[in-house]
């Protein structure tokens, strides 16, 4: 379940990071937040930030030795011939140049500076892990693969003062504390979902969100591309899906859709930030936009009107018609051809207008279509009420009030080999109100405070599901009440970084008391990036 377009903002920079007192088991506990004066000296911003004080919390941070200072003489050295490493160096230079005012040329190996090294022999941290070593003459980031190198660059960025995120030249110093960070993710699947169906978001707005996800080492963007209120992706074999079904949104706005070129650009940009796009076409329910576009998809052959409300569960494809499966095959085939990533999401939730027998038969056929076109199927956890195919992933969106039988059904599927992505609605749904006074959002799953969104353990959340079945976590943002980047950010920040930490950081680092101080120190970085975040009263926000 999930609930007019105002001015589209294309705010210019990537979202900033977080800091401060590190989680349990990481060096630096008790440090003074950025911009706050300690009882014995000047503000902590005058000294390098302790290595462990980043979000997500690193696996290991060992301080030691002199800090490294970025100066006008600094070079970014790509210490191999990899085109990917060079791109990451150029990305880092683009982040640092405006605020430091330094040239920061990206050059080859040799000499001091910021060193980016790919080492295929460094297998201990996996494809996404990295090691960062900082000392007087250099800071070196080493990784087995480009994704790990990119994640290490995000850590370097977070270790610098928050004003590094600004677009204009700022006063330094730009120091990185001495020592070593060794880091790798807890889970392979770390995702956020953006609902572009209930309200449509431009390519620029999606790119901005991608940058924000990348800073927190997330590696998936789930795009909810179809629903009752709008169809958002061009399909050549069924053109009215986009041109007719895409012209509405909640509240009666003008909607919109992505051309295939638009979608390819989103995929390309996400890839440049080491995120995989996971497209979703919600089936067999949540299909009014499709049913309105093509009368033959309806059992009675009559197209319903376009829909701009927020009710759910009233629409369904006609499971008994052959044209339904030609439609599914065409859509999946074209979308799979556009999507280089592994996964394709077929929804499957809230199909209240589809009988159980029809639902099971439909999902069997839809899963087979996804496999035929070379993708791994994901469905909302109602898929486990049918017959998940081998290798299928079920995305759990239930909550504390979800019935025991439904939870057991999901856990039993997990025991039988179905992998799970966890996005409990009363924990990780970013569209839920923070409290009763929150202007935006819904509350059907209850209020979701910043602490509640952070303070749960994916490994033990779903009773009976083996820990090995948990593929990862996701933070969905449904858009019934959200219309532009500013509103996305009000709902996502500061909850998104906490979900990212659940997906990345070792369980031993988890602790609200330490996390909330690290998160509070993020306030100046949000502000430097023009993010009007929610000032949660539970969090001790740093003043500057």
């Amino acid at each position: 379940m999930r609930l007019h377009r105002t001015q589209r903002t294309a705010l210019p920079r990537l979202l900033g990071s977080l800091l401060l007192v590190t989680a349990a088991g990481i060096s630096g506990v008790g440090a003074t937040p950025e911009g706050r004066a300690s009882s014995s000296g000047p503000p902590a911003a005058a000294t390098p930030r302790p290595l462990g004080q980043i979000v997500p919390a690193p696996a290991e941070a060992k301080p030691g030795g002199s800090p490294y200072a970025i100066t006008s003489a600094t070079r970014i050295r790509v210490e191999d011939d990899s085109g990917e490493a060079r791109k990451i160096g150029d990305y880092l230079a683009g982040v640092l140049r405006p605020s430091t005012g330094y040239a920061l040329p990206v050059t080859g190996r040799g000499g001091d500076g910021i060193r980016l090294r790919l080492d295929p022999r460094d297998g201990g941290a996996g494809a996404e892990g990295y090691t960062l070593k900082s000392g007087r003459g250099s800071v070196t980031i080493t990784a087995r693969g480009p994704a790990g190198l990119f994640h290490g660059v995000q850590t370097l960025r977070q270790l610098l003062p928050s004003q590094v995120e600004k677009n204009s030249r700022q006063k330094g110093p730009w120091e990185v504390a001495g020592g070593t960070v060794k880091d790798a993710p807890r889970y392979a699947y770390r995702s956020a979902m953006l609902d572009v169906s209930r309200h449509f978001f431009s390519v620029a707005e999606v790119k901005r969100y991608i940058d924000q996800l990348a800073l927190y080492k997330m590696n998936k963007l789930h795009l909810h591309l179809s629903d009752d209120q709008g169809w958002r992706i061009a399909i050549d074999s069924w053109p009215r899906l986009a041109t007719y079904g895409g012209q509405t949104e909640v509240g009666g706005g003008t909607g919109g859709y992505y051309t295939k070129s638009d979608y390819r650009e989103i995929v390309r940009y996400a890839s440049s930030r080491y995120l995989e796009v996971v497209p979703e076409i919600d089936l067999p329910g949540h299909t009014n936009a499709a049913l309105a576009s093509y009368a033959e998809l309806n059992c009675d052959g009559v197209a319903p009107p376009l829909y701009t409300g927020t009710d759910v569960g009233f629409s369904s494809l006609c499971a008994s018609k052959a044209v339904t499966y030609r439609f599914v095959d065409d859509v999946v085939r074209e979308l799979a051809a556009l999507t280089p990533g592994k996964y394709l999401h077929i929804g499957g939730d809230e199909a209240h207008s589809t009988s159980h027998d029809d639902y099971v038969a439909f999902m069997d056929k839809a899963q087979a279509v996804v496999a035929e076109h070379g993708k791994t199927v994901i469905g909302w956890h109602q898929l486990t009420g049918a017959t998940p195919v081998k290798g299928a992933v079920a995305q759990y969106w239930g909550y504390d009030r979800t019935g025991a039988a439904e939870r057991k059904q999901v856990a039993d599927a997990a025991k039988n080999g179905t992998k799970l992505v966890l996005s409990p609605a009363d924990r990780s749904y970013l569209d839920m109100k923070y409290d009763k006074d929150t202007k935006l959002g819904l509350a059907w799953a209850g209020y979701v405070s910043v602490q509640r969104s952070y303070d749960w353990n994916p490994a033990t959340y779903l009773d009976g599901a083996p820990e090995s079945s948990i593929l990862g976590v996701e933070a969905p943002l449904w858009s019934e009440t959200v219309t532009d980047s500013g509103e996305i950010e009000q709902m996502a920040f500061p909850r998104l970084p906490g979900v990212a930490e659940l997906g990345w950081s070792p369980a031993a680092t988890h602790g609200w008391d330490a996390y909330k101080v690290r998160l509070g120190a993020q306030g100046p970085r949000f502000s430097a990036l023009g993010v009007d975040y929610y000032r949660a009263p539970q969090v001790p926000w740093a003043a500057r």
Side-chain angles (χ1 to χ4, degrees):
M1 177 176 181
R2 21 257 191 218
L3 220 44
H4 137 147
R5 179 163 58 187
T6 59
Q7 179 182 4
R8 300 299 191 200
T9 56
L11 299 177
R13 290 294 306 275
L14 315 177
L15 178 62
S17 70
L18 319 77
L19 313 308
L20 236 1
V21 174
T22 181
I26 298 177
S27 310
V29 173
T32 305
E34 177 182 1
R36 293 186 178 182
S38 69
S39 59
S40 59
T47 60
R49 188 180 313 281
L51 291 178
Q53 295 177 10
I54 60 175
V55 173
E60 180 182 327
K62 293 184 177 180
S66 300
Y68 172 71
I70 299 174
T71 69
S72 59
T74 295
R75 282 169 165 71
I76 298 174
R77 301 190 181 277
V78 179
E79 297 197 354
D80 57 41
D81 297 326
S82 165
E84 288 291 297
R86 177 69 189 222
K87 289 176 185 177
I88 294 168
D90 290 338
Y91 164 88
L92 177 60
V95 171
L96 300 180
R97 283 170 180 156
S99 53
T100 64
Y102 301 148
L104 300 173
V106 181
T107 67
R109 70 176 66 209
D112 291 343
I114 300 173
R115 300 167 174 165
L116 305 180
R117 298 180 59 244
L118 284 174
D119 185 355
R121 299 166 299 177
D122 185 15
E128 292 191 277
Y130 66 91
T131 299
L132 183 150
K133 294 183 178 180
S134 176
R136 184 180 300 277
S138 64
V139 57
T140 302
I141 302 171
T142 305
R144 188 178 109 189
L149 198 63
F150 185 80
H151 296 324
V153 162
Q154 302 311 310
T155 291
L156 173 62
R157 182 177 166 192
Q158 292 189 26
L159 291 171
L160 292 165
S162 59
Q163 62 266 29
V164 80
E165 307 295 349
K166 292 191 175 182
N167 268 326
S168 58
R169 187 166 184 172
Q170 305 295 309
K171 183 178 180 180
W174 309 106
E175 290 188 333
V176 180
T180 301
V181 174
K182 292 185 177 181
D183 206 4
R186 181 184 185 187
Y187 292 112
Y189 197 106
R190 307 177 309 280
S191 178
M193 187 277 286
L194 184 61
D195 171 17
V196 299
S197 293
R198 287 174 177 81
H199 282 98
F200 181 66
F201 299 98
S202 69
V203 172
E205 288 172 314
V206 176
K207 285 182 175 181
R208 177 169 173 81
Y209 203 45
I210 287 169
D211 282 330
Q212 294 164 354
L213 303 180
L215 181 61
Y216 298 103
K217 303 183 175 73
M218 286 189 149
N219 65 358
K220 302 285 188 292
L221 172 65
H222 171 185
L223 284 179
H224 185 75
L225 290 168
S226 71
D227 215 297
D228 292 315
Q229 298 85 355
W231 186 283
R232 305 302 184 204
I233 181 68
I235 300 296
D236 293 341
S237 53
W238 298 76
R240 278 174 57 83
L241 292 171
T243 60
Y244 183 74
Q247 64 181 324
T248 54
E249 61 185 11
V250 166
T254 57
Y257 66 90
Y258 304 119
T259 66
K260 287 189 170 181
S261 178
D262 290 335
Y263 182 80
R264 289 189 188 99
E265 176 59 17
I266 290 171
V267 168
R268 182 206 65 78
Y269 194 81
S271 178
S272 76
R273 271 57 175 165
Y274 297 91
L275 275 85
E276 176 183 344
V277 172
V278 179
E280 179 191 355
I281 302 297
D282 206 345
L283 305 167
H286 290 278
T287 47
N288 193 82
L291 297 171
S293 301
Y294 288 95
E296 60 264 41
L297 295 176
N298 296 269
C299 286
D300 61 4
V302 178
L306 293 170
Y307 181 69
T308 61
T310 58
D311 288 339
V312 299
F314 61 89
S315 61
S316 178
L317 292 172
C318 191
S320 62
K321 280 189 166 183
V323 68
T324 295
Y325 302 101
R326 177 166 61 84
F327 163 78
V328 172
D329 185 74
D330 287 340
V331 170
V332 170
R333 171 177 48 80
E334 292 193 34
L335 190 53
L338 292 170
T339 305
K342 176 180 179 180
Y343 299 102
L344 198 149
H345 202 305
I346 59 170
D349 62 322
E350 297 174 326
H352 305 320
S353 295
T354 311
S355 72
H356 176 71
D357 288 346
D358 281 351
Y359 179 84
V360 172
F362 177 89
M363 295 306 280
D364 283 350
K365 293 179 181 179
Q367 290 181 89
V369 170
V370 173
E372 182 181 338
H373 294 292
K375 300 300 180 185
T376 296
V377 70
I378 304 181
W380 298 106
H381 73 258
Q382 284 78 13
L383 174 64
T384 62
T387 308
V389 297
K390 183 178 180 180
V393 178
Q395 182 170 352
Y396 182 78
W397 62 276
Y399 47 110
D400 285 358
R401 298 195 303 274
T402 297
E406 187 172 355
R407 293 171 72 96
K408 182 178 184 300
Q409 174 183 287
V410 179
D412 287 347
K415 291 175 183 176
N416 289 327
T418 298
K419 295 293 186 181
L420 302 180
V421 171
L422 300 181
S423 53
D426 58 345
R427 300 285 183 173
S428 69
Y429 268 34
L430 302 179
D431 53 296
M432 291 297 104
K433 291 177 177 286
Y434 293 95
D435 57 33
K436 64 181 179 61
D437 297 320
T438 305
K439 179 181 177 181
L440 299 171
L442 304 174
W444 57 262
Y447 301 126
V448 179
S449 67
V450 177
Q451 180 174 358
R452 184 169 181 80
S453 69
Y454 173 80
D455 218 0
W456 59 286
N457 183 357
T460 59
Y461 176 78
L462 192 62
D463 289 345
E467 185 172 353
S468 61
S469 72
I470 308 303
L471 192 61
V473 297
E474 181 173 289
L477 179 53
W478 302 100
S479 64
E480 287 91 341
T481 69
V482 176
T483 67
D484 60 23
S485 282
E487 292 178 347
I488 287 173
E489 289 159 9
Q490 270 280 308
M491 302 307 286
F493 297 97
R495 290 181 291 198
L496 177 69
V499 178
E501 178 155 307
L502 289 174
W504 179 277
S505 303
T509 68
H510 190 87
W512 168 250
D513 287 341
Y515 173 72
K516 70 180 179 182
V517 183
R518 284 187 286 129
L519 180 60
Q522 176 64 14
R525 196 168 297 260
F526 288 157
S527 297
L529 285 149
V531 175
D532 185 18
Y533 62 98
Y534 172 66
R535 275 72 168 172
Q538 301 165 302
V539 178
W541 297 106
R544 60 183 179 85

